[in-house]
Amino acid sequence: MSGTTTAGATGAADVPRQGPRRPVRAGGPRGAAGGANRWTVLVVLCASLLLVAVDATVLHVAVPAVSGALRPGAVELLWIVDAYPLVCASLLILFGSLGDRVGRRRVLLAGYAVFGAASGLAAYADSPGVLIAARALLGVGGAMIMPATLSILRQVFPDRRERALAIGVWSAVAAVGAAVGPLIGGLLLEHFWWGSVFLVNIPLMLVSIPVGRWLLPESTGDRDGPWDVVGALVAAAGLGALILGVKQSGGGVLGPGTVGPVLLGVALLALFVRRQRRRRHPLVDCATLARPAFGMAVACIVLTVLALVGLALIAAQYLQLVLGLTPLETGLRLLPLSLAAIAAGLAGSRLLRRLGPRTMVTSGFLVTAAAVLLLTGAGGQDRPVLLLGGFVLLGLGLETTLFGSYESMLSEAPARHAGGAAAIGETAYQLGAGLGIAVLGTVMNAVYAPGVRGAAGVPQEAAAGAAGSLGEAYRIAGQLGGPAGEALRTAARESFVHGLHVSLLVSAGLLVLGALAALRLPRTAESPVTGGEQEHGGERAAGRGERAPAGNAGTAGSVRHGGAPAGGPRVRPAGTARAGRADGSVLAGGARHR
């Protein structure tokens, strides 16, 4: 705390003014730093997030319809759902760092175009392979959009208190997207074919491109030195191979096709880290990653999403295929979860100030684990009150955990590496999503398939075909008819419920592990002096425990700014001052956690 307050009122007198700085360029009539305009920027960024959030959940209620129309196998069905987070997670670091170099708004607008084109391809896919490819292209667009929104938010809200409020609104909009997605999907499936769930992205994209071009500020980060293209490609290949190996295990078979990609991914990621540590201008500042608050916040994001994203998919299938609800009724049943998440997101800034990151994230994990255990009471019969209570607790706990984790991560990241930091956070989210669906999908298949294969009175060939998915089992049971068909339907239904219970218990264990990990987060969150406290060149050195050398342009006692004038946007509310020592070095780090 002393590092940001000791300069106090004298800081401005002690620190000489610097040379010209590169401003934030805005597409609209006012700059991003201009008072109320930053809240307009937040609205546009939230609309961008809504585009991605809707697509992430709109497919959940359409999975049974997709299974019936395209008849994918068990692994193909996982790929249809998981191709998006796999590709998105692989490319986030690449596009996040590219946005720091060429402009975050430019990358964001290009992401809109890719996302819209991929949505059209997915809507009219006529085979599982085409749909998987379209979902992969959607992942490319999502990788361009997601880090850009967070990095621009980090730039236009330099004050931590305002940024916490902005993150609360941002995360609440994500919950709105999660709520609207199943509802839109359900409404469309009531009247149109399954491909219509992807068409909703196109009008959103058509609106977002011109509005974003006019209102969003253009900004860049640390542009010193060449962009490490090789490093970005190594990171993409490593993340892709790692998640690919985990996904291959979704078929329940361990072999060279599963272990090989995992080992390759780990090796490539180790090579990437080694390369970044040696480079003068890395894509990812390893000193930032080494900070306990940053690294632990990223780990909490992975654990939260890993435990829960797979359950969202399983829950949608449970409501439709086991309880027999329509897609619209399924969306309405899942709505309380998203509404609770919205409430938690809007209250997140106040909770963070009152509880601090450690207590807030740990409590979120424990509430979520309690919700998951409560949902193990769901079975073959509809229990709406239990489901309502479980979904509400799930939304509250999930959003509380993610809010505290994201806020801690962004506050620890240097402003000049905002794109890279945002990419790491979104990579953690997408990595958790991919691993969650793969791990919990594997657990579900491991429990479900043996129960179906052992169904009494069912021909062996029919039982083997029904072991792929519950939707396929219902289709085969309908073809069999008579006692054999009814026996297969009953066995598949009971096996699915059993698999759901086991998956819930595994998720609860992961959430308790997350609560233990969150105990290493900072106890309190302290507000920085505001604005650009991490923009100066000495920040990177300070991140490694070194002190920034004094002097700049031959002027004794000045603050050294390695990035000026090309070090990225400088956003500072009026009336704030840099904290400086008498010898001119910077009390680096801005916000410090205790």
Side-chain angles (χ1 to χ4, degrees):
M1 185 69 177
S2 60
T4 60
T5 59
T6 51
T10 64
D14 294 338
V15 182
R17 297 178 65 86
Q18 300 302 304
R21 297 171 183 161
R22 183 183 301 271
V24 178
R25 300 188 304 276
R30 299 176 59 189
N37 191 57
R38 64 184 180 275
W39 299 104
T40 305
V41 170
L42 176 63
V43 172
V44 179
L45 295 179
C46 287
S48 305
L49 178 65
L50 185 66
L51 179 75
V52 179
V54 166
D55 189 77
T57 59
V58 73
L59 185 62
H60 288 174
V61 296
V63 166
V66 171
S67 298
L70 301 183
R71 298 180 60 182
V75 175
E76 284 180 323
L77 184 60
L78 284 176
W79 269 106
I80 288 173
V81 176
D82 215 21
Y84 173 82
L86 168 64
V87 174
C88 191
S90 300
L91 299 178
L92 281 167
I93 290 178
L94 189 154
F95 286 119
S97 60
L98 181 63
D100 285 342
R101 304 288 301 185
V102 305
R104 291 148 185 161
R105 185 185 68 174
R106 182 175 300 174
V107 172
L108 179 65
L109 296 180
Y112 290 155
V114 173
F115 209 83
S119 297
L121 179 62
Y124 294 100
D126 58 358
S127 69
V130 173
L131 183 55
I132 290 170
R135 291 281 291 169
L137 190 59
L138 281 168
V140 175
M144 302 172 78
I145 293 171
M146 296 174 72
T149 61
L150 267 182
S151 57
I152 293 174
L153 185 149
R154 173 65 177 84
Q155 294 293 339
V156 299
F157 288 97
D159 178 73
R160 183 165 188 174
R161 287 194 175 186
E162 283 194 346
R163 185 166 64 246
L165 178 59
I167 292 174
V169 174
W170 184 86
S171 57
V173 169
V176 170
V180 171
L183 286 174
I184 291 177
L187 286 170
L188 291 172
L189 290 175
E190 289 286 329
H191 302 93
F192 305 101
W193 91 115
W194 62 266
S196 61
V197 301
F198 294 105
L199 294 180
V200 297
N201 297 326
I202 296 178
L204 289 174
M205 179 271 295
L206 292 175
V207 172
S208 296
I209 290 179
V211 171
R213 183 174 180 82
W214 180 59
L215 288 177
L216 288 180
E218 181 62 283
S219 65
T220 57
D222 190 349
R223 303 175 69 176
D224 295 340
W227 184 49
D228 186 10
V229 181
V230 174
L233 294 176
V234 169
L239 287 168
L242 176 63
I243 303 178
L244 173 64
V246 176
K247 279 200 57 58
Q248 292 293 94
S249 67
V253 178
L254 293 179
T258 300
V259 178
V262 170
L263 295 178
L264 176 62
V266 171
L268 288 174
L269 290 176
L271 177 63
F272 171 75
V273 172
R274 182 180 180 184
R275 180 181 177 87
Q276 298 307 298
R277 291 176 66 90
R278 294 184 173 186
R279 290 186 65 85
R280 184 175 181 181
H281 303 287
L283 292 175
V284 175
D285 190 352
C286 294
T288 300
L289 284 175
R291 294 178 181 177
F294 187 93
M296 197 52 58
V298 171
C300 288
I301 293 172
V302 173
L303 281 172
T304 305
V305 180
L306 189 154
L308 294 170
V309 167
L311 288 180
L313 176 62
I314 296 172
Q317 295 183 72
Y318 167 77
L319 292 172
Q320 292 185 72
L321 298 178
V322 175
L323 299 186
L325 303 180
T326 66
L328 179 58
E329 290 171 336
T330 298
L332 291 173
R333 284 292 187 95
L334 293 173
L335 183 60
L337 187 154
S338 297
L339 293 178
I342 293 170
L346 294 177
S349 178
R350 181 175 298 178
L351 284 175
L352 182 69
R353 292 197 302 268
R354 181 167 298 180
L355 301 178
R358 180 187 300 176
T359 302
M360 182 177 184
V361 176
T362 302
S363 301
F365 271 121
L366 294 178
V367 170
T368 309
V372 168
L373 292 176
L374 177 62
L375 289 173
T376 57
Q381 301 298 320
D382 190 5
R383 301 182 65 183
V385 176
L386 182 144
L387 292 175
L388 174 63
F391 288 155
V392 169
L393 285 177
L394 198 62
L396 291 173
L398 169 62
E399 181 59 27
T400 299
T401 303
L402 288 179
F403 178 94
S405 299
Y406 268 111
E407 201 284 334
S408 295
M409 182 199 71
L410 283 179
S411 295
E412 281 293 308
R416 56 194 167 85
H417 286 301
I424 291 172
E426 296 301 335
T427 298
Y429 190 99
Q430 294 299 330
L431 180 63
L435 292 174
I437 293 176
V439 170
L440 295 183
T442 300
V443 171
M444 171 62 82
N445 289 338
V447 176
Y448 168 79
V452 175
R453 293 194 186 102
V458 178
Q460 185 175 0
E461 182 178 353
S469 67
L470 184 57
E472 184 69 8
Y474 283 177
R475 188 187 66 82
I476 294 176
Q479 292 178 346
L480 287 176
E486 186 60 31
L488 177 59
R489 177 182 291 271
T490 301
R493 194 163 175 264
E494 292 176 351
S495 297
F496 186 92
V497 172
H498 182 45
L500 172 65
H501 291 164
V502 174
S503 299
L504 288 169
L505 292 175
V506 171
S507 295
L510 292 171
L511 291 164
V512 171
L513 180 63
L516 295 175
L519 293 176
R520 297 194 60 189
L521 286 174
R523 185 184 302 275
T524 61
E526 299 177 1
S527 298
V529 174
T530 69
E533 72 280 1
Q534 295 168 322
E535 298 165 11
H536 42 72
E539 201 283 336
R540 183 181 298 175
R544 297 189 178 95
E546 304 168 8
R547 205 174 78 177
N552 184 41
T555 304
S558 63
V559 181
R560 181 171 180 261
H561 291 262
R570 316 298 189 194
V571 184
R572 181 184 310 283
T576 61
R578 295 185 187 274
R581 293 181 186 269
D583 63 0
S585 62
V586 175
L587 293 171
R592 284 292 178 255
H593 299 290
R594 293 185 298 195

